[in-house]
Amino acid sequence: MVVSIIIANFMVSKVLIDQGNSTAILDWRTFQRLEVSSNTVHPYAGPLLGFTGKRVETRGYMDLMTTFGQGQLSRSFIIRYLLVDADTSYFSLIGRKTLNELGTIVSMPHLKMEFPTLTGEIVTIKA
């Protein structure tokens, strides 16, 4: 399922909701477009295995404010992204750790995901 979300106050399209992935990933070129200082990137030792079918070196990690939904029907919180320089068709991947933190229910047959806002309303995002 592919959606758009707001990362560090910028709309990022082509974000893959990947329940099989254990972490959030942000493409390095996308990170550079966010106008966030690369001086605050934390080092991360070790490659990412299985991503794009081969070993991918990481450029570090960064915690970025991320918003799902729009306006009052949205939720924002800080997500830790691994920054990778890989040839992929997605600008970001959101894994199950983030989906669990958000309280998301994903329905792949319906291409929808739902999560509660802080006021208890249910937000539906359609792919």
Side-chain angles (χ1 to χ4, degrees), residues 63-121:
D63 297 331
L64 297 169
M65 182 60 72
T66 304
T67 302
F68 294 82
Q70 296 178 343
Q72 292 191 1
L73 294 178
S74 66
R75 283 270 302 278
S76 298
F77 56 98
I78 294 175
I79 296 176
R80 177 162 291 172
Y81 290 93
L82 277 179
L83 305 172
V84 299
D85 194 3
D87 187 26
T88 177
S89 47
Y90 304 107
F91 298 131
S92 180
L93 283 85
I94 299 296
R96 66 180 171 267
K97 179 180 183 282
T98 300
L99 296 173
N100 289 340
E101 187 175 340
L102 186 59
T104 303
I105 297 173
V106 178
S107 174
M108 295 308 284
H110 300 101
L111 292 176
K112 293 181 182 179
M113 67 184 239
E114 294 184 337
F115 60 89
T117 64
L118 296 177
T119 60
E121 296 178 77

Side-chain angles (χ1 to χ4, degrees), residues 7-85:
I7 302 174
N9 294 321
F10 287 90
M11 180 64 77
V12 178
S13 61
K14 292 173 51 175
V15 176
L16 179 65
I17 302 299
D18 186 359
Q19 298 176 78
N21 188 8
S22 60
T23 191
I25 298 170
L26 186 62
D27 179 67
W28 181 252
R29 292 174 302 270
T30 303
F31 169 74
Q32 289 176 317
R33 289 187 207 120
L34 296 180
E35 298 176 9
V36 176
S37 172
S38 60
N39 294 335
T40 56
V41 172
H42 303 282
Y44 180 83
L48 202 54
L49 300 175
F51 183 69
T52 69
K54 55 186 171 184
R55 183 179 173 158
V56 175
E57 295 298 326
T58 61
R59 295 248 185 158
Y61 71 89
M62 179 167 249
D63 297 331
L64 297 169
M65 182 60 72
T66 304
T67 302
F68 294 82
Q70 296 178 343
Q72 292 191 1
L73 294 178
S74 66
R75 283 270 302 278
S76 298
F77 56 98
I78 294 175
I79 296 176
R80 177 162 291 172
Y81 290 93
L82 277 179
L83 305 172
V84 299
D85 194 3

